[in-house]
Amino acid sequence: DFAVPPYFSKFIRPICTVHKVGACSKLQMSSNKLSGSPLQGHPRFEDAEKLAINVDLLPVLGSVLTQLAARNDSLPFAPNSFHAAKPPAIQFDAYLARIKKYAGCSDACFVVALIYIDRLIQSHPEFIVNTLCIHRLFFVCLVSAAKFYDDHYYDNLYYSKVGGITLQELDRLEVDLLFMIDFMLTVPSTVFSTYRSELMRSAQPADDMMVVTAAAGGR
Protein backbone atom coordinates (compact mmCIF):
# COMPACT_ATOMS: atom_id res chain seq x y z
CA ASP A 1 0.00 0.00 0.00
CA PHE A 2 1.17 3.49 -0.83
CA ALA A 3 1.16 5.76 2.22
CA VAL A 4 -0.39 9.22 1.90
CA PRO A 5 2.46 11.74 1.49
CA PRO A 6 3.35 13.81 4.57
CA TYR A 7 2.40 17.04 2.81
CA PHE A 8 -1.23 16.01 2.62
CA SER A 9 -1.50 14.69 6.14
CA LYS A 10 -0.17 18.00 7.47
CA PHE A 11 -1.88 20.53 5.23
CA ILE A 12 -4.52 19.36 2.77
CA ARG A 13 -6.62 17.27 5.14
CA PRO A 14 -7.06 19.77 8.00
CA ILE A 15 -7.38 22.78 5.69
CA CYS A 16 -9.93 21.28 3.33
CA THR A 17 -11.97 19.79 6.15
CA VAL A 18 -12.39 23.27 7.61
CA HIS A 19 -13.37 24.73 4.25
CA LYS A 20 -15.91 22.07 3.26
CA VAL A 21 -18.86 24.42 3.61
CA GLY A 22 -17.08 27.09 1.56
CA ALA A 23 -15.99 27.15 -2.04
CA CYS A 24 -14.72 23.58 -1.95
CA SER A 25 -18.27 22.24 -1.47
CA LYS A 26 -19.51 23.95 -4.64
CA LEU A 27 -17.27 22.20 -7.14
CA GLN A 28 -19.08 20.95 -10.21
CA MET A 29 -18.54 17.35 -11.25
CA SER A 30 -17.99 16.44 -14.89
CA SER A 31 -17.28 13.28 -16.85
CA ASN A 32 -14.52 14.81 -18.97
CA LYS A 33 -11.41 12.69 -19.32
CA LEU A 34 -7.93 14.14 -19.62
CA SER A 35 -6.94 15.02 -23.15
CA GLY A 36 -3.31 15.16 -24.14
CA SER A 37 -2.35 14.57 -20.53
CA PRO A 38 0.86 13.16 -19.10
CA LEU A 39 -1.13 10.04 -18.27
CA GLN A 40 -2.50 8.91 -21.58
CA GLY A 41 -0.10 6.95 -23.72
CA HIS A 42 2.90 7.80 -21.57
CA PRO A 43 5.25 4.91 -20.78
CA ARG A 44 5.79 6.16 -17.22
CA PHE A 45 2.15 5.66 -16.31
CA GLU A 46 0.08 2.50 -16.28
CA ASP A 47 -3.72 2.17 -16.47
CA ALA A 48 -4.21 5.77 -17.52
CA GLU A 49 -7.98 5.50 -17.49
CA LYS A 50 -7.91 4.74 -13.78
CA LEU A 51 -6.06 8.01 -13.17
CA ALA A 52 -8.46 10.28 -15.05
CA ILE A 53 -9.56 13.43 -13.22
CA ASN A 54 -13.34 13.90 -13.21
CA VAL A 55 -13.63 16.89 -10.88
CA ASP A 56 -12.47 20.48 -11.12
CA LEU A 57 -9.55 20.52 -8.67
CA LEU A 58 -8.54 24.14 -9.24
CA PRO A 59 -10.59 25.69 -6.37
CA VAL A 60 -9.40 23.15 -3.79
CA LEU A 61 -5.81 23.39 -5.05
CA GLY A 62 -5.95 27.17 -4.76
CA SER A 63 -7.46 26.96 -1.28
CA VAL A 64 -4.86 24.48 -0.05
CA LEU A 65 -1.82 26.38 -1.30
CA THR A 66 -3.21 29.76 -0.24
CA GLN A 67 -3.74 28.44 3.29
CA LEU A 68 -0.30 26.85 3.34
CA ALA A 69 1.34 30.12 2.30
CA ALA A 70 -0.70 32.13 4.81
CA ARG A 71 0.26 29.78 7.64
CA ASN A 72 3.93 30.20 6.81
CA ASP A 73 3.86 33.99 6.52
CA SER A 74 4.58 34.33 10.23
CA LEU A 75 7.67 32.10 10.06
CA PRO A 76 11.17 33.52 9.71
CA PHE A 77 12.81 32.58 6.44
CA ALA A 78 15.88 33.12 4.30
CA PRO A 79 14.75 34.54 0.94
CA ASN A 80 15.81 32.67 -2.18
CA SER A 81 15.30 33.16 -5.91
CA PHE A 82 11.60 32.28 -5.68
CA HIS A 83 10.74 34.90 -3.04
CA ALA A 84 9.57 38.29 -4.29
CA ALA A 85 10.12 41.56 -2.43
CA LYS A 86 6.35 41.88 -1.91
CA PRO A 87 3.29 39.71 -2.57
CA PRO A 88 1.89 39.88 -6.11
CA ALA A 89 -1.19 42.04 -6.61
CA ILE A 90 -3.17 39.11 -8.03
CA GLN A 91 -4.65 36.62 -5.58
CA PHE A 92 -3.37 33.06 -5.94
CA ASP A 93 -6.71 31.54 -6.93
CA ALA A 94 -7.11 34.16 -9.67
CA TYR A 95 -3.54 33.45 -10.73
CA LEU A 96 -4.34 29.74 -11.03
CA ALA A 97 -7.35 30.55 -13.18
CA ARG A 98 -5.18 32.73 -15.42
CA ILE A 99 -2.52 30.10 -16.03
CA LYS A 100 -5.20 27.43 -16.44
CA LYS A 101 -6.73 29.53 -19.22
CA TYR A 102 -3.56 30.54 -21.06
CA ALA A 103 -0.82 28.00 -20.29
CA GLY A 104 -2.46 25.28 -22.37
CA CYS A 105 -1.15 22.42 -20.25
CA SER A 106 -3.10 19.32 -19.26
CA ASP A 107 -5.12 19.18 -16.05
CA ALA A 108 -2.85 16.47 -14.68
CA CYS A 109 0.11 18.87 -14.75
CA PHE A 110 -1.51 20.84 -11.92
CA VAL A 111 -1.36 17.72 -9.75
CA VAL A 112 2.21 16.97 -10.86
CA ALA A 113 3.20 20.56 -10.00
CA LEU A 114 1.89 20.02 -6.48
CA ILE A 115 3.95 16.84 -6.22
CA TYR A 116 7.06 18.80 -7.22
CA ILE A 117 6.34 21.35 -4.48
CA ASP A 118 5.98 18.53 -1.99
CA ARG A 119 9.31 17.06 -3.09
CA LEU A 120 10.97 20.43 -2.68
CA ILE A 121 9.54 20.88 0.83
CA GLN A 122 10.62 17.42 1.90
CA SER A 123 14.15 17.74 0.51
CA HIS A 124 14.60 21.36 1.62
CA PRO A 125 12.68 21.89 4.87
CA GLU A 126 14.35 25.28 5.23
CA PHE A 127 12.45 26.46 2.15
CA ILE A 128 9.48 28.44 3.47
CA VAL A 129 6.56 28.45 1.05
CA ASN A 130 4.77 31.73 1.78
CA THR A 131 2.82 34.40 -0.10
CA LEU A 132 6.05 35.88 -1.42
CA CYS A 133 6.88 32.79 -3.45
CA ILE A 134 3.80 30.62 -3.95
CA HIS A 135 2.86 32.18 -7.30
CA ARG A 136 6.24 31.79 -8.94
CA LEU A 137 6.98 28.45 -7.32
CA PHE A 138 3.79 26.82 -8.50
CA PHE A 139 4.06 28.33 -11.97
CA VAL A 140 7.62 27.09 -12.49
CA CYS A 141 6.61 23.64 -11.24
CA LEU A 142 3.70 23.65 -13.69
CA VAL A 143 5.90 24.67 -16.62
CA SER A 144 8.38 21.92 -15.73
CA ALA A 145 5.57 19.37 -15.54
CA ALA A 146 4.17 20.43 -18.91
CA LYS A 147 7.56 20.20 -20.60
CA PHE A 148 8.29 16.78 -19.14
CA TYR A 149 4.90 15.12 -19.65
CA ASP A 150 2.73 16.95 -22.17
CA ASP A 151 3.09 16.15 -25.85
CA HIS A 152 2.73 19.81 -26.79
CA TYR A 153 3.98 22.84 -24.87
CA TYR A 154 5.09 26.42 -25.47
CA ASP A 155 8.49 28.04 -25.19
CA ASN A 156 9.59 30.03 -22.15
CA LEU A 157 8.97 33.37 -23.84
CA TYR A 158 5.26 32.58 -24.02
CA TYR A 159 5.16 31.04 -20.55
CA SER A 160 6.87 34.09 -19.05
CA LYS A 161 4.05 36.29 -20.38
CA VAL A 162 1.44 33.94 -18.96
CA GLY A 163 3.14 33.86 -15.56
CA GLY A 164 3.87 37.56 -15.41
CA ILE A 165 7.63 37.22 -15.00
CA THR A 166 10.54 37.96 -17.28
CA LEU A 167 12.02 35.36 -19.60
CA GLN A 168 15.37 35.56 -17.82
CA GLU A 169 13.71 35.02 -14.46
CA LEU A 170 11.75 32.02 -15.68
CA ASP A 171 14.88 30.47 -17.17
CA ARG A 172 16.75 30.91 -13.90
CA LEU A 173 13.93 29.68 -11.68
CA GLU A 174 13.44 26.62 -13.84
CA VAL A 175 17.08 25.64 -13.41
CA ASP A 176 16.91 26.37 -9.67
CA LEU A 177 13.89 24.12 -9.29
CA LEU A 178 15.52 21.24 -11.15
CA PHE A 179 18.54 21.31 -8.89
CA MET A 180 16.43 21.67 -5.74
CA ILE A 181 14.40 18.55 -6.55
CA ASP A 182 17.47 16.77 -7.86
CA PHE A 183 15.99 16.55 -11.37
CA MET A 184 13.33 14.15 -10.07
CA LEU A 185 10.61 14.95 -12.60
CA THR A 186 9.28 11.42 -13.06
CA VAL A 187 6.12 10.71 -11.09
CA PRO A 188 5.10 7.05 -10.66
CA SER A 189 1.44 6.36 -11.40
CA THR A 190 0.85 5.24 -7.81
CA VAL A 191 2.13 8.56 -6.48
CA PHE A 192 0.07 10.58 -8.94
CA SER A 193 -3.02 8.54 -8.12
CA THR A 194 -2.57 9.13 -4.39
CA TYR A 195 -2.20 12.88 -4.73
CA ARG A 196 -5.07 13.08 -7.19
CA SER A 197 -7.32 10.99 -4.97
CA GLU A 198 -6.53 13.09 -1.92
CA LEU A 199 -7.38 16.28 -3.77
CA MET A 200 -10.58 14.79 -5.16
CA ARG A 201 -11.53 13.56 -1.69
CA SER A 202 -10.96 17.06 -0.34
CA ALA A 203 -13.12 18.49 -3.12
CA GLN A 204 -16.14 16.42 -2.08
CA PRO A 205 -19.05 18.24 -0.37
CA ALA A 206 -19.21 18.07 3.41
CA ASP A 207 -22.09 15.53 3.43
CA ASP A 208 -20.13 13.16 1.21
CA MET A 209 -17.08 13.52 3.45
CA MET A 210 -19.07 12.54 6.53
CA VAL A 211 -20.30 9.41 4.75
CA VAL A 212 -16.76 8.50 3.69
CA THR A 213 -15.47 9.11 7.23
CA ALA A 214 -18.19 6.98 8.77
CA ALA A 215 -17.55 4.19 6.32
CA ALA A 216 -13.87 4.29 7.24
CA GLY A 217 -14.66 3.86 10.91
CA GLY A 218 -14.13 7.50 11.82
CA ARG A 219 -10.53 7.66 10.63
Side-chain angles (χ1 to χ4, degrees):
D1 294 336
F2 186 81
V4 175
Y7 179 88
F8 287 93
S9 62
K10 290 182 180 179
F11 298 108
I12 286 185
R13 286 175 175 170
I15 289 172
C16 289
T17 300
V18 170
H19 289 272
K20 282 299 169 185
V21 187
C24 292
S25 65
K26 300 177 182 179
L27 298 180
Q28 296 181 348
M29 303 295 290
S30 71
S31 60
N32 295 332
K33 299 297 184 181
L34 290 173
S35 176
S37 75
L39 307 181
Q40 293 180 343
H42 200 290
R44 295 182 182 87
F45 291 93
E46 305 86 14
D47 299 324
E49 286 299 313
K50 296 179 181 179
L51 302 180
I53 297 175
N54 63 349
V55 61
D56 181 9
L57 297 180
L58 212 61
V60 68
L61 184 61
S63 175
V64 166
L65 291 176
T66 297
Q67 292 294 318
L68 169 62
R71 284 185 176 187
N72 289 342
D73 279 343
S74 60
L75 300 178
F77 70 99
N80 56 46
S81 57
F82 287 92
H83 291 90
K86 60 180 181 180
I90 184 172
Q91 296 296 316
F92 185 67
D93 56 350
Y95 187 70
L96 279 182
R98 171 185 169 82
I99 61 180
K100 167 68 174 177
K101 181 177 181 179
Y102 295 108
C105 60
S106 62
D107 292 345
C109 284
F110 285 81
V111 179
V112 174
L114 185 60
I115 294 173
Y116 290 167
I117 292 178
D118 191 13
R119 288 178 177 177
L120 189 153
I121 292 174
Q122 294 186 51
S123 60
H124 296 275
E126 75 282 359
F127 189 114
I128 302 299
V129 178
N130 55 27
T131 55
L132 296 179
C133 74
I134 188 60
H135 294 69
R136 286 192 283 189
L137 177 59
F138 184 85
F139 181 66
V140 174
C141 287
L142 185 71
V143 169
S144 299
K147 288 182 177 181
F148 193 71
Y149 281 117
D150 279 356
D151 292 332
H152 304 285
Y153 56 87
Y154 297 98
D155 58 21
N156 274 11
L157 178 60
Y158 177 80
Y159 282 136
S160 66
K161 295 177 181 178
V162 173
I165 58 180
T166 67
L167 173 60
Q168 294 75 17
E169 188 174 24
L170 178 55
D171 289 341
R172 185 182 74 251
L173 292 176
E174 194 173 8
V175 173
D176 289 347
L177 173 67
L178 291 175
F179 276 99
M180 294 183 80
I181 64 174
D182 199 24
F183 292 83
M184 292 177 59
L185 295 175
T186 301
V187 177
S189 59
T190 51
V191 175
F192 178 92
S193 181
T194 300
Y195 278 73
R196 180 221 53 177
S197 298
E198 194 68 21
L199 282 171
M200 291 179 68
R201 189 182 72 87
S202 298
Q204 292 177 350
D207 293 343
D208 292 347
M209 277 295 295
M210 287 188 288
V211 172
V212 171
T213 301
R219 292 194 299 272

